[in-house]
Amino acid sequence: MLAFYFKEASHTFGEYLLVPGYSSSQCIPANVSLETPLVKFKKGEQPKIKMNIPMTSAIMQAVSDDKMAIALAKEGGVSFVYGSQPIEEEAAMVTRVKNYKSGFVSSDSNIRPTTTLGEILELKDQTAHSTMAVTEDGTPTGKLLGIVTSRDYRVTRMPMDTQASNFMTPFSKLVYADADTTLSQANDLIWEHKLNMLPLIDANQRLRYMVFRKDYTDNKENELELIDGNKRYVVGAGINTRDYAKRVPVLLKAGADAFCIDSSEGFSDWQRITLQYIHENFGEDVKVGAGNVVDREGFRFLAEAGADFVKVGIGGGSICITRETKGIGRGQATALIDVCKARDEYYEETGFYIPVCSDGGIVHDYHMTLALAMGADFMMLGRYFSRFDESPTDKVKVNGTYYKEYWGEGSNRARNWQRYDLGGDRKLSFEEGVDSYVPYAGSLKDNVHITLSKIRSTMCNCGALTIKELQKQAKITLVSSTSIVEGGSHDVILKDKFSRD
Protein backbone atom coordinates (compact mmCIF):
# COMPACT_ATOMS: atom_id res chain seq x y z
CA MET A 1 0.00 0.00 0.00
CA LEU A 2 1.08 3.55 -0.72
CA ALA A 3 1.01 6.51 1.63
CA PHE A 4 -1.91 8.94 1.33
CA TYR A 5 -1.10 11.99 -0.78
CA PHE A 6 -3.00 15.26 -0.46
CA LYS A 7 -3.89 16.54 -3.93
CA GLU A 8 -3.55 20.21 -3.03
CA ALA A 9 -0.23 21.86 -2.29
CA SER A 10 0.27 23.20 1.24
CA HIS A 11 -0.21 27.00 1.28
CA THR A 12 0.64 29.81 3.70
CA PHE A 13 -1.21 33.07 4.39
CA GLY A 14 1.29 34.98 2.24
CA GLU A 15 -0.03 33.18 -0.85
CA TYR A 16 -3.55 34.61 -0.53
CA LEU A 17 -5.32 37.95 -0.86
CA LEU A 18 -8.83 39.10 -0.06
CA VAL A 19 -10.84 40.46 -2.98
CA PRO A 20 -12.96 43.50 -1.98
CA GLY A 21 -16.74 43.18 -1.88
CA TYR A 22 -19.62 45.64 -1.77
CA SER A 23 -19.45 48.04 1.21
CA SER A 24 -22.64 49.77 2.32
CA SER A 25 -22.66 53.25 3.88
CA GLN A 26 -23.01 51.55 7.27
CA CYS A 27 -19.84 49.58 6.77
CA ILE A 28 -17.34 51.78 8.59
CA PRO A 29 -14.64 50.60 11.03
CA ALA A 30 -16.41 52.13 14.04
CA ASN A 31 -19.37 49.79 13.43
CA VAL A 32 -17.30 46.61 13.21
CA SER A 33 -17.63 44.11 16.08
CA LEU A 34 -14.76 41.69 16.66
CA GLU A 35 -16.58 39.70 19.35
CA THR A 36 -15.88 35.99 19.05
CA PRO A 37 -16.43 32.78 21.06
CA LEU A 38 -13.54 31.31 23.03
CA VAL A 39 -15.16 28.01 23.99
CA LYS A 40 -17.67 25.43 22.76
CA PHE A 41 -21.39 26.16 22.87
CA LYS A 42 -24.66 24.53 21.80
CA LYS A 43 -26.74 25.89 18.94
CA GLY A 44 -29.17 28.51 20.25
CA GLU A 45 -27.08 29.12 23.38
CA GLN A 46 -24.29 31.54 24.24
CA PRO A 47 -20.70 30.42 24.93
CA LYS A 48 -19.56 30.57 28.54
CA ILE A 49 -16.67 32.80 27.51
CA LYS A 50 -16.58 35.26 24.61
CA MET A 51 -13.74 37.60 23.72
CA ASN A 52 -14.11 41.15 22.48
CA ILE A 53 -11.14 40.82 20.13
CA PRO A 54 -9.93 37.66 18.35
CA MET A 55 -6.53 37.51 20.05
CA THR A 56 -4.96 35.20 22.60
CA SER A 57 -1.31 35.19 23.64
CA ALA A 58 0.75 32.03 23.27
CA ILE A 59 1.48 29.59 26.08
CA MET A 60 5.16 30.51 26.17
CA GLN A 61 7.72 31.51 28.78
CA ALA A 62 8.74 34.44 26.56
CA VAL A 63 5.19 35.70 26.09
CA SER A 64 2.46 35.04 28.64
CA ASP A 65 2.81 35.89 32.31
CA ASP A 66 0.47 37.85 34.60
CA LYS A 67 1.58 41.23 33.25
CA MET A 68 0.76 40.18 29.67
CA ALA A 69 -2.55 38.68 30.81
CA ILE A 70 -3.66 41.93 32.44
CA ALA A 71 -2.63 44.08 29.48
CA LEU A 72 -4.40 41.84 26.94
CA ALA A 73 -7.56 41.48 29.04
CA LYS A 74 -7.75 45.28 29.15
CA GLU A 75 -7.97 45.23 25.35
CA GLY A 76 -10.54 42.41 25.22
CA GLY A 77 -8.41 39.30 24.63
CA VAL A 78 -7.14 36.38 26.72
CA SER A 79 -3.65 35.27 27.73
CA PHE A 80 -2.86 31.67 28.52
CA VAL A 81 -0.21 31.82 31.25
CA TYR A 82 2.63 29.48 30.39
CA GLY A 83 2.57 26.07 32.04
CA SER A 84 6.25 25.13 31.75
CA GLN A 85 6.87 26.22 35.34
CA PRO A 86 6.08 24.79 38.79
CA ILE A 87 2.36 24.52 39.54
CA GLU A 88 2.52 26.99 42.45
CA GLU A 89 4.27 29.63 40.35
CA GLU A 90 1.74 29.38 37.52
CA ALA A 91 -1.10 29.57 40.06
CA ALA A 92 0.49 32.66 41.61
CA MET A 93 0.47 34.37 38.21
CA VAL A 94 -3.20 33.52 37.70
CA THR A 95 -4.00 34.81 41.19
CA ARG A 96 -2.26 38.12 40.50
CA VAL A 97 -4.40 38.59 37.40
CA LYS A 98 -7.63 37.79 39.22
CA ASN A 99 -6.69 40.03 42.18
CA TYR A 100 -5.65 42.93 39.98
CA LYS A 101 -7.88 45.93 40.40
CA SER A 102 -8.13 48.14 37.36
CA GLY A 103 -6.29 51.36 38.09
CA PHE A 104 -4.51 49.87 41.13
CA VAL A 105 -1.00 48.90 40.05
CA SER A 106 1.34 46.63 41.97
CA SER A 107 4.76 48.24 41.93
CA ASP A 108 7.18 46.33 39.70
CA SER A 109 10.08 48.82 39.80
CA ASN A 110 11.28 48.80 43.39
CA ILE A 111 14.55 49.86 44.98
CA ARG A 112 16.19 50.07 48.40
CA PRO A 113 17.46 53.27 50.03
CA THR A 114 20.97 52.01 49.25
CA THR A 115 20.32 51.55 45.51
CA THR A 116 22.68 53.79 43.53
CA LEU A 117 21.78 56.23 40.80
CA GLY A 118 23.62 54.05 38.30
CA GLU A 119 21.51 51.05 39.28
CA ILE A 120 18.34 53.16 39.08
CA LEU A 121 19.18 54.28 35.54
CA GLU A 122 19.86 50.68 34.55
CA LEU A 123 16.51 49.59 35.98
CA LYS A 124 14.76 52.46 34.20
CA ASP A 125 16.35 51.38 30.94
CA GLN A 126 15.10 47.81 31.45
CA THR A 127 11.52 48.64 32.50
CA ALA A 128 10.93 52.09 30.94
CA HIS A 129 9.46 53.12 34.31
CA SER A 130 10.64 56.46 35.71
CA THR A 131 8.67 56.19 38.99
CA MET A 132 10.19 53.78 41.51
CA ALA A 133 9.08 52.90 45.02
CA VAL A 134 11.78 52.95 47.68
CA THR A 135 10.93 50.22 50.17
CA GLU A 136 12.83 49.00 53.18
CA ASP A 137 13.61 45.63 51.63
CA GLY A 138 13.28 46.55 47.95
CA THR A 139 10.15 44.43 47.46
CA PRO A 140 6.80 45.53 45.95
CA THR A 141 5.08 45.23 49.36
CA GLY A 142 7.83 46.39 51.70
CA LYS A 143 7.62 49.36 54.09
CA LEU A 144 7.42 52.48 51.92
CA LEU A 145 10.26 54.90 52.66
CA GLY A 146 10.03 57.19 49.64
CA ILE A 147 9.61 57.60 45.91
CA VAL A 148 12.14 58.30 43.17
CA THR A 149 11.13 59.91 39.87
CA SER A 150 13.21 61.44 37.09
CA ARG A 151 12.62 64.84 38.69
CA ASP A 152 14.58 63.80 41.79
CA TYR A 153 18.00 63.53 40.14
CA ARG A 154 20.18 65.14 37.51
CA VAL A 155 22.42 62.68 35.73
CA THR A 156 24.91 65.37 34.66
CA ARG A 157 25.44 66.70 38.20
CA MET A 158 25.31 63.61 40.41
CA PRO A 159 27.82 60.76 40.81
CA MET A 160 26.56 57.37 39.70
CA ASP A 161 27.24 55.91 43.17
CA THR A 162 24.87 58.36 44.91
CA GLN A 163 22.37 56.35 46.95
CA ALA A 164 18.62 56.80 46.59
CA SER A 165 18.26 57.89 50.23
CA ASN A 166 20.14 61.09 49.33
CA PHE A 167 17.75 62.31 46.65
CA MET A 168 14.44 60.43 46.96
CA THR A 169 11.25 62.18 48.01
CA PRO A 170 10.93 60.84 51.58
CA PHE A 171 7.74 59.33 52.95
CA SER A 172 7.18 62.35 55.22
CA LYS A 173 6.71 64.54 52.12
CA LEU A 174 4.47 62.13 50.19
CA VAL A 175 0.75 62.39 49.70
CA TYR A 176 -0.60 58.89 50.25
CA ALA A 177 -3.86 57.11 51.02
CA ASP A 178 -5.15 54.02 52.80
CA ALA A 179 -5.13 50.72 50.93
CA ASP A 180 -8.95 50.57 51.08
CA THR A 181 -9.32 53.83 49.15
CA THR A 182 -11.59 53.49 46.11
CA LEU A 183 -10.36 54.33 42.62
CA SER A 184 -12.71 57.32 42.49
CA GLN A 185 -11.35 58.66 45.79
CA ALA A 186 -7.77 58.07 44.68
CA ASN A 187 -8.32 59.98 41.45
CA ASP A 188 -9.88 62.86 43.40
CA LEU A 189 -6.73 63.05 45.56
CA ILE A 190 -4.52 62.93 42.48
CA TRP A 191 -6.31 65.87 40.90
CA GLU A 192 -6.61 67.80 44.17
CA HIS A 193 -2.88 67.60 44.91
CA LYS A 194 -1.74 67.69 41.27
CA LEU A 195 0.01 64.34 41.59
CA ASN A 196 1.27 61.96 38.92
CA MET A 197 1.04 59.00 41.30
CA LEU A 198 -0.65 58.20 44.61
CA PRO A 199 0.74 55.35 46.76
CA LEU A 200 -1.73 53.28 48.79
CA ILE A 201 -0.38 51.79 52.02
CA ASP A 202 -1.64 49.56 54.83
CA ALA A 203 -1.63 50.26 58.60
CA ASN A 204 2.04 49.19 58.81
CA GLN A 205 3.13 51.61 56.05
CA ARG A 206 3.65 48.70 53.66
CA LEU A 207 3.05 49.51 50.00
CA ARG A 208 -0.04 47.89 48.52
CA TYR A 209 -0.80 49.71 45.25
CA MET A 210 0.09 52.72 43.16
CA VAL A 211 -2.54 54.76 41.30
CA PHE A 212 -1.26 56.80 38.35
CA ARG A 213 -2.84 59.89 36.82
CA LYS A 214 -2.36 58.47 33.31
CA ASP A 215 -4.31 55.33 34.23
CA TYR A 216 -7.45 57.38 34.84
CA THR A 217 -7.57 58.15 31.12
CA ASP A 218 -6.55 54.59 30.22
CA ASN A 219 -9.39 53.11 32.30
CA LYS A 220 -11.90 55.28 30.47
CA GLU A 221 -10.52 54.05 27.16
CA ASN A 222 -10.66 50.31 27.94
CA GLU A 223 -14.21 49.87 26.69
CA LEU A 224 -13.52 46.34 25.43
CA GLU A 225 -11.86 45.00 28.60
CA LEU A 226 -12.70 41.35 29.26
CA ILE A 227 -13.98 40.69 32.77
CA ASP A 228 -15.81 37.88 34.54
CA GLY A 229 -19.02 38.07 36.58
CA ASN A 230 -17.09 39.50 39.53
CA LYS A 231 -15.47 42.22 37.41
CA ARG A 232 -12.09 40.48 37.46
CA TYR A 233 -9.97 40.09 34.35
CA VAL A 234 -10.40 36.84 32.41
CA VAL A 235 -7.25 34.72 32.23
CA GLY A 236 -6.37 31.31 30.79
CA ALA A 237 -3.72 28.82 31.84
CA GLY A 238 -1.58 26.33 29.96
CA ILE A 239 -1.48 22.70 31.08
CA ASN A 240 0.27 19.54 29.86
CA THR A 241 -0.68 15.87 29.50
CA ARG A 242 1.45 14.72 32.43
CA ASP A 243 0.57 16.52 35.68
CA TYR A 244 -2.95 17.81 34.86
CA ALA A 245 -4.49 15.91 37.79
CA LYS A 246 -2.40 18.01 40.19
CA ARG A 247 -2.14 21.23 38.19
CA VAL A 248 -5.77 21.83 37.20
CA PRO A 249 -7.33 21.91 40.71
CA VAL A 250 -4.66 24.35 41.92
CA LEU A 251 -5.21 26.60 38.90
CA LEU A 252 -9.00 26.43 39.34
CA LYS A 253 -8.61 27.53 42.95
CA ALA A 254 -6.42 30.41 41.75
CA GLY A 255 -9.27 31.49 39.45
CA ALA A 256 -8.28 30.34 35.95
CA ASP A 257 -11.21 30.84 33.55
CA ALA A 258 -10.08 28.38 30.85
CA PHE A 259 -7.29 25.94 30.11
CA CYS A 260 -5.40 24.93 27.01
CA ILE A 261 -3.31 21.80 26.55
CA ASP A 262 0.09 23.00 25.40
CA SER A 263 1.35 20.50 22.85
CA SER A 264 3.09 20.56 19.49
CA GLU A 265 0.83 17.78 18.18
CA GLY A 266 -2.66 17.11 19.49
CA PHE A 267 -3.83 14.07 17.54
CA SER A 268 -2.89 11.72 20.37
CA ASP A 269 -4.44 9.50 23.00
CA TRP A 270 -2.69 11.58 25.69
CA GLN A 271 -4.90 14.56 24.88
CA ARG A 272 -8.06 12.43 24.84
CA ILE A 273 -7.18 11.02 28.28
CA THR A 274 -6.44 14.51 29.61
CA LEU A 275 -9.67 16.02 28.31
CA GLN A 276 -11.84 13.18 29.61
CA TYR A 277 -10.19 13.21 33.05
CA ILE A 278 -10.69 16.95 33.49
CA HIS A 279 -14.32 16.93 32.39
CA GLU A 280 -15.17 13.83 34.44
CA ASN A 281 -13.50 15.09 37.60
CA PHE A 282 -14.10 18.83 37.46
CA GLY A 283 -17.22 19.12 35.33
CA GLU A 284 -18.16 20.21 31.83
CA ASP A 285 -18.10 23.87 32.91
CA VAL A 286 -14.32 23.66 33.13
CA LYS A 287 -13.28 24.65 29.63
CA VAL A 288 -10.22 23.08 28.00
CA GLY A 289 -8.80 23.82 24.56
CA ALA A 290 -6.68 21.21 22.78
CA GLY A 291 -4.36 20.82 19.81
CA ASN A 292 -2.46 21.34 17.70
CA VAL A 293 -3.86 19.63 14.59
CA VAL A 294 -3.67 20.33 10.87
CA ASP A 295 -6.43 18.30 9.22
CA ARG A 296 -10.04 17.13 9.42
CA GLU A 297 -9.20 13.87 11.18
CA GLY A 298 -7.29 15.63 13.92
CA PHE A 299 -10.17 18.04 14.52
CA ARG A 300 -12.78 15.28 14.68
CA PHE A 301 -10.65 13.34 17.13
CA LEU A 302 -10.33 16.26 19.55
CA ALA A 303 -13.95 17.32 19.11
CA GLU A 304 -15.16 13.84 20.06
CA ALA A 305 -12.68 13.74 22.94
CA GLY A 306 -14.33 16.82 24.44
CA ALA A 307 -12.16 19.78 23.38
CA ASP A 308 -13.76 23.17 24.05
CA PHE A 309 -11.72 24.78 21.29
CA VAL A 310 -9.17 23.38 18.85
CA LYS A 311 -5.84 24.90 17.91
CA VAL A 312 -4.54 24.58 14.36
CA GLY A 313 -0.91 24.72 13.31
CA ILE A 314 2.26 22.64 13.35
CA GLY A 315 5.62 24.14 12.49
CA GLY A 316 4.36 27.56 11.36
CA GLY A 317 5.61 29.59 14.32
CA SER A 318 8.53 31.93 13.74
CA ILE A 319 10.69 30.15 16.33
CA CYS A 320 9.43 26.63 15.54
CA ILE A 321 11.67 24.21 13.65
CA THR A 322 9.45 21.12 13.93
CA ARG A 323 9.11 20.90 10.14
CA GLU A 324 12.87 21.10 9.73
CA THR A 325 13.72 18.56 12.42
CA LYS A 326 10.86 16.06 12.03
CA GLY A 327 9.37 16.71 8.61
CA ILE A 328 5.80 17.04 9.92
CA GLY A 329 3.32 19.88 9.56
CA ARG A 330 1.25 21.62 6.95
CA GLY A 331 1.03 25.11 5.46
CA GLN A 332 -0.99 27.17 7.94
CA ALA A 333 -3.59 28.47 5.49
CA THR A 334 -4.33 25.05 4.02
CA ALA A 335 -4.51 23.46 7.47
CA LEU A 336 -6.87 26.15 8.73
CA ILE A 337 -9.23 25.91 5.76
CA ASP A 338 -9.43 22.12 6.14
CA VAL A 339 -10.06 22.20 9.89
CA CYS A 340 -12.65 25.01 9.71
CA LYS A 341 -14.58 23.03 7.10
CA ALA A 342 -14.57 20.08 9.51
CA ARG A 343 -15.69 22.38 12.33
CA ASP A 344 -18.71 23.52 10.29
CA GLU A 345 -19.58 19.91 9.36
CA TYR A 346 -19.40 18.91 13.03
CA TYR A 347 -21.70 21.82 13.97
CA GLU A 348 -24.27 20.75 11.39
CA GLU A 349 -24.15 17.13 12.60
CA THR A 350 -24.17 17.69 16.35
CA GLY A 351 -25.37 21.23 17.05
CA PHE A 352 -22.17 21.98 18.96
CA TYR A 353 -19.91 24.76 17.74
CA ILE A 354 -16.25 24.28 18.62
CA PRO A 355 -14.18 27.44 18.02
CA VAL A 356 -11.00 27.13 15.99
CA CYS A 357 -7.81 28.93 16.98
CA SER A 358 -5.19 29.62 14.32
CA ASP A 359 -1.79 29.20 15.96
CA GLY A 360 1.28 30.22 13.95
CA GLY A 361 2.11 31.51 10.51
CA ILE A 362 1.19 35.14 11.20
CA VAL A 363 3.89 37.39 9.73
CA HIS A 364 1.95 40.53 8.80
CA ASP A 365 -1.18 42.04 10.36
CA TYR A 366 -3.26 41.29 7.27
CA HIS A 367 -2.55 37.57 7.81
CA MET A 368 -4.83 37.82 10.86
CA THR A 369 -7.70 39.07 8.71
CA LEU A 370 -7.07 36.26 6.26
CA ALA A 371 -7.10 33.73 9.10
CA LEU A 372 -10.46 35.04 10.28
CA ALA A 373 -11.86 35.02 6.74
CA MET A 374 -10.70 31.41 6.30
CA GLY A 375 -12.74 30.39 9.32
CA ALA A 376 -10.66 30.97 12.44
CA ASP A 377 -12.57 32.28 15.44
CA PHE A 378 -9.41 33.74 16.95
CA MET A 379 -5.63 33.61 16.74
CA MET A 380 -2.95 32.58 19.23
CA LEU A 381 0.08 34.83 18.81
CA GLY A 382 3.61 34.42 20.12
CA ARG A 383 6.10 36.56 18.22
CA TYR A 384 3.52 39.33 17.88
CA PHE A 385 3.14 39.78 21.65
CA SER A 386 6.75 38.98 22.54
CA ARG A 387 7.85 42.34 21.08
CA PHE A 388 5.95 44.44 23.61
CA ASP A 389 6.80 46.02 26.96
CA GLU A 390 4.41 43.62 28.69
CA SER A 391 6.16 40.41 27.66
CA PRO A 392 8.27 38.88 30.47
CA THR A 393 11.60 38.92 28.61
CA ASP A 394 14.49 41.34 28.80
CA LYS A 395 14.86 44.29 26.45
CA VAL A 396 18.39 44.37 25.06
CA LYS A 397 20.29 46.88 22.97
CA VAL A 398 22.24 45.54 19.97
CA ASN A 399 24.16 47.97 17.77
CA GLY A 400 21.99 50.86 18.90
CA THR A 401 18.67 49.07 18.32
CA TYR A 402 16.43 47.60 21.00
CA TYR A 403 15.23 44.01 20.83
CA LYS A 404 13.27 41.64 23.06
CA GLU A 405 14.39 38.08 23.72
CA TYR A 406 12.13 35.38 22.29
CA TRP A 407 12.57 31.62 22.53
CA GLY A 408 10.46 28.62 21.66
CA GLU A 409 9.06 26.14 24.16
CA GLY A 410 10.91 23.44 22.24
CA SER A 411 14.24 25.22 22.60
CA ASN A 412 16.97 24.07 24.93
CA ARG A 413 16.43 27.25 26.94
CA ALA A 414 12.78 26.46 27.75
CA ARG A 415 13.26 22.69 28.01
CA ASN A 416 9.49 22.21 27.97
CA TRP A 417 9.68 18.46 27.31
CA GLN A 418 6.01 18.02 28.27
CA ARG A 419 4.95 19.95 25.15
CA TYR A 420 6.61 17.34 22.93
CA ASP A 421 5.72 14.36 25.09
CA LEU A 422 5.07 11.08 23.31
CA GLY A 423 4.84 9.02 26.46
CA GLY A 424 8.50 8.10 26.65
CA ASP A 425 11.36 9.40 28.76
CA ARG A 426 10.76 12.67 30.56
CA LYS A 427 13.31 14.64 28.58
CA LEU A 428 13.80 16.82 25.52
CA SER A 429 15.80 14.61 23.15
CA PHE A 430 16.30 17.29 20.49
CA GLU A 431 15.26 20.89 19.95
CA GLU A 432 12.12 21.90 18.04
CA GLY A 433 12.46 25.63 18.71
CA VAL A 434 15.12 28.32 18.60
CA ASP A 435 16.39 31.05 20.94
CA SER A 436 16.19 34.44 19.23
CA TYR A 437 15.54 38.19 19.32
CA VAL A 438 12.61 40.18 17.93
CA PRO A 439 12.55 43.94 17.29
CA TYR A 440 11.19 45.83 20.30
CA ALA A 441 7.86 47.44 19.39
CA GLY A 442 6.68 49.41 22.45
CA SER A 443 3.41 49.01 24.33
CA LEU A 444 0.81 46.33 23.71
CA LYS A 445 -2.04 48.83 23.74
CA ASP A 446 -0.66 51.01 20.95
CA ASN A 447 0.25 48.10 18.69
CA VAL A 448 -2.96 46.14 19.21
CA HIS A 449 -5.02 49.23 18.40
CA ILE A 450 -3.17 49.65 15.10
CA THR A 451 -3.57 45.96 14.21
CA LEU A 452 -7.28 45.95 15.04
CA SER A 453 -7.78 49.13 13.00
CA LYS A 454 -6.33 47.33 9.99
CA ILE A 455 -8.57 44.30 10.56
CA ARG A 456 -11.70 46.45 10.89
CA SER A 457 -10.82 48.46 7.80
CA THR A 458 -10.22 45.34 5.69
CA MET A 459 -13.49 43.82 6.92
CA CYS A 460 -15.29 46.93 5.70
CA ASN A 461 -13.59 46.53 2.31
CA CYS A 462 -15.18 43.07 2.25
CA GLY A 463 -18.58 44.42 3.33
CA ALA A 464 -18.52 42.70 6.72
CA LEU A 465 -19.36 44.11 10.16
CA THR A 466 -18.77 40.89 12.13
CA ILE A 467 -16.33 38.00 11.91
CA LYS A 468 -19.15 35.65 10.90
CA GLU A 469 -20.17 38.01 8.08
CA LEU A 470 -16.55 38.11 6.92
CA GLN A 471 -16.41 34.31 6.80
CA LYS A 472 -19.64 34.14 4.78
CA GLN A 473 -18.87 36.99 2.37
CA ALA A 474 -15.10 36.86 1.92
CA LYS A 475 -13.69 36.26 -1.53
CA ILE A 476 -10.17 34.84 -1.34
CA THR A 477 -7.72 34.38 -4.18
CA LEU A 478 -4.42 32.53 -4.50
CA VAL A 479 -1.63 34.73 -5.80
CA SER A 480 1.38 33.99 -7.97
CA SER A 481 4.95 34.73 -6.98
CA THR A 482 4.97 37.60 -9.47
CA SER A 483 1.84 39.21 -8.01
CA ILE A 484 3.37 38.96 -4.52
CA VAL A 485 6.24 41.12 -5.78
CA GLU A 486 3.73 43.47 -7.41
CA GLY A 487 1.96 43.88 -4.06
CA GLY A 488 4.92 45.59 -2.43
CA SER A 489 6.72 48.78 -3.40
CA HIS A 490 8.52 48.24 -6.70
CA ASP A 491 10.15 50.10 -9.55
CA VAL A 492 10.92 53.06 -7.28
CA ILE A 493 13.86 54.00 -5.09
CA LEU A 494 12.77 54.45 -1.49
CA LYS A 495 14.02 57.62 0.18
CA ASP A 496 15.43 55.77 3.17
CA LYS A 497 17.83 53.96 0.83
CA PHE A 498 19.79 57.19 0.40
CA SER A 499 22.37 58.14 3.01
CA ARG A 500 21.58 61.25 5.02
CA ASP A 501 25.26 61.91 5.69
Side-chain angles (χ1 to χ4, degrees):
M1 293 179 66
L2 294 175
F4 176 81
Y5 287 87
F6 287 93
K7 294 180 180 178
E8 182 189 6
S10 190
H11 296 290
T12 65
F13 292 131
E15 297 175 77
Y16 290 93
L17 286 175
L18 285 159
V19 176
Y22 167 72
S23 300
S24 72
S25 59
Q26 297 300 309
C27 204
I28 59 175
N31 291 339
V32 172
S33 168
L34 294 175
E35 185 179 88
T36 192
L38 177 68
V39 295
K40 179 171 66 176
F41 62 94
K42 192 175 182 179
K43 189 173 184 178
E45 298 179 355
Q46 291 293 315
K48 182 182 177 183
I49 306 173
K50 290 191 289 187
M51 296 188 293
N52 293 323
I53 63 172
M55 289 181 168
T56 62
S57 66
I59 312 168
M60 300 175 68
Q61 295 173 8
V63 179
S64 296
D65 64 353
D66 49 297
K67 189 175 179 182
M68 176 63 70
I70 291 167
L72 186 50
K74 284 182 178 181
E75 303 308 317
V78 173
S79 281
F80 285 87
V81 173
Y82 70 91
S84 54
Q85 59 178 322
I87 296 172
E88 294 74 19
E89 293 180 19
E90 184 180 10
M93 287 187 180
V94 171
T95 297
R96 286 196 289 273
V97 178
K98 301 308 287 189
N99 288 345
Y100 180 87
K101 295 194 291 183
S102 183
F104 293 79
V105 179
S106 295
S107 178
D108 57 3
S109 293
N110 307 284
I111 57 177
R112 292 184 172 89
T114 55
T115 303
T116 66
L117 176 58
E119 292 169 332
I120 288 170
L121 294 176
E122 186 177 341
L123 180 61
K124 180 183 176 183
D125 193 46
Q126 290 174 357
T127 66
H129 297 158
S130 58
T131 299
M132 301 180 187
V134 184
T135 58
E136 195 170 54
D137 57 2
T139 66
T141 57
K143 184 177 181 180
L144 183 63
L145 302 180
I147 295 291
V148 168
T149 72
S150 56
R151 293 178 298 180
D152 293 316
Y153 54 82
R154 296 187 69 176
V155 176
T156 56
R157 297 192 179 185
M158 295 172 64
M160 288 294 107
D161 61 356
T162 306
Q163 295 186 348
S165 58
N166 294 315
F167 57 85
M168 69 182 186
T169 301
F171 181 77
S172 59
K173 294 184 178 181
L174 293 177
V175 177
Y176 57 88
D178 185 79
D180 294 329
T181 301
T182 66
L183 184 59
S184 177
Q185 292 169 334
N187 282 315
D188 287 344
L189 286 171
I190 286 173
W191 287 101
E192 179 184 344
H193 295 279
K194 299 180 180 179
L195 306 172
N196 286 323
M197 187 277 296
L198 177 73
L200 304 186
I201 61 172
D202 64 16
N204 297 314
Q205 201 177 311
R206 297 177 69 86
L207 181 62
R208 292 288 303 280
Y209 301 106
M210 302 166 84
V211 180
F212 289 85
R213 176 193 289 260
K214 66 179 180 63
D215 286 341
Y216 175 80
T217 302
D218 290 345
N219 292 333
K220 294 295 183 182
E221 293 176 352
N222 294 333
E223 297 179 354
L224 296 177
E225 66 178 2
L226 195 64
I227 55 177
D228 63 19
N230 296 314
K231 297 186 177 180
R232 303 175 302 174
Y233 285 131
V234 173
V235 60
I239 58 174
N240 60 67
T241 58
R242 284 280 190 166
D243 66 6
Y244 52 87
K246 294 180 179 179
R247 190 174 293 265
V248 169
V250 176
L251 293 173
L252 282 173
K253 186 176 180 181
D257 296 282
F259 299 99
C260 185
I261 300 173
D262 184 25
S263 175
S264 66
E265 206 279 295
F267 197 171
S268 76
D269 208 29
W270 304 110
Q271 294 223 2
R272 181 189 61 79
I273 294 168
T274 302
L275 288 165
Q276 291 182 350
Y277 180 91
I278 292 173
H279 286 141
E280 287 173 3
N281 288 272
F282 305 108
E284 291 295 329
D285 282 342
V286 175
K287 302 303 181 182
V288 188
N292 287 17
V293 296
V294 292
D295 64 4
R296 180 182 182 278
E297 285 182 275
F299 173 86
R300 295 288 302 208
F301 174 82
L302 290 177
E304 290 164 6
D308 290 294
F309 66 84
V310 171
K311 283 205 296 156
V312 177
I314 294 177
S318 60
I319 41 71
C320 185
I321 55 173
T322 295
R323 295 181 193 173
E324 294 178 42
T325 57
K326 296 171 69 174
I328 64 169
R330 197 177 189 188
Q332 186 66 13
T334 302
L336 183 61
I337 293 167
D338 196 7
V339 170
C340 288
K341 183 179 179 181
R343 184 264 324 273
D344 293 342
E345 292 172 353
Y346 187 83
Y347 180 55
E348 289 298 318
E349 291 175 20
T350 67
F352 284 96
Y353 187 91
I354 301 176
V356 167
C357 169
S358 181
D359 179 18
I362 301 293
V363 179
H364 305 292
D365 286 351
Y366 83 89
H367 290 172
M368 298 187 203
T369 318
L370 274 168
L372 295 173
M374 290 173 177
D377 295 281
F378 57 95
M379 286 78 62
M380 181 168 279
L381 305 161
R383 182 196 61 84
Y384 178 85
F385 285 116
S386 71
R387 304 170 300 145
F388 304 150
D389 290 319
E390 293 81 1
S391 74
T393 63
D394 290 331
K395 183 172 71 171
V396 297
K397 196 173 186 179
V398 181
N399 296 328
T401 302
Y402 281 105
Y403 296 88
K404 293 275 283 185
E405 293 181 300
Y406 181 45
W407 61 90
E409 289 296 292
S411 68
N412 196 50
R413 181 171 183 174
R415 299 209 63 79
N416 182 6
W417 63 267
Q418 294 96 332
R419 190 175 200 275
Y420 303 88
D421 185 27
L422 294 175
D425 294 335
R426 295 169 180 253
K427 66 178 183 178
L428 191 69
S429 299
F430 54 88
E431 291 185 278
E432 293 189 45
V434 298
D435 195 348
S436 63
Y437 295 107
V438 290
Y440 168 67
S443 74
L444 178 146
K445 185 181 187 70
D446 292 343
N447 283 277
V448 165
H449 280 203
I450 292 171
T451 298
L452 295 179
S453 293
K454 293 178 183 178
I455 293 174
R456 292 187 181 102
S457 180
T458 305
M459 287 173 64
C460 286
N461 292 141
C462 297
L465 290 175
T466 66
I467 291 173
K468 281 303 170 193
E469 285 185 11
L470 176 66
Q471 292 167 352
K472 290 178 181 177
Q473 297 169 197
K475 294 183 289 184
I476 304 172
T477 181
L478 267 172
V479 294
S480 68
S481 57
T482 305
S483 63
I484 291 174
V485 174
E486 179 188 60
S489 60
H490 59 90
D491 300 315
V492 295
I493 302 174
L494 300 180
K495 288 183 178 180
D496 61 8
K497 296 295 183 182
F498 289 104
S499 172
R500 297 182 182 272
D501 296 338

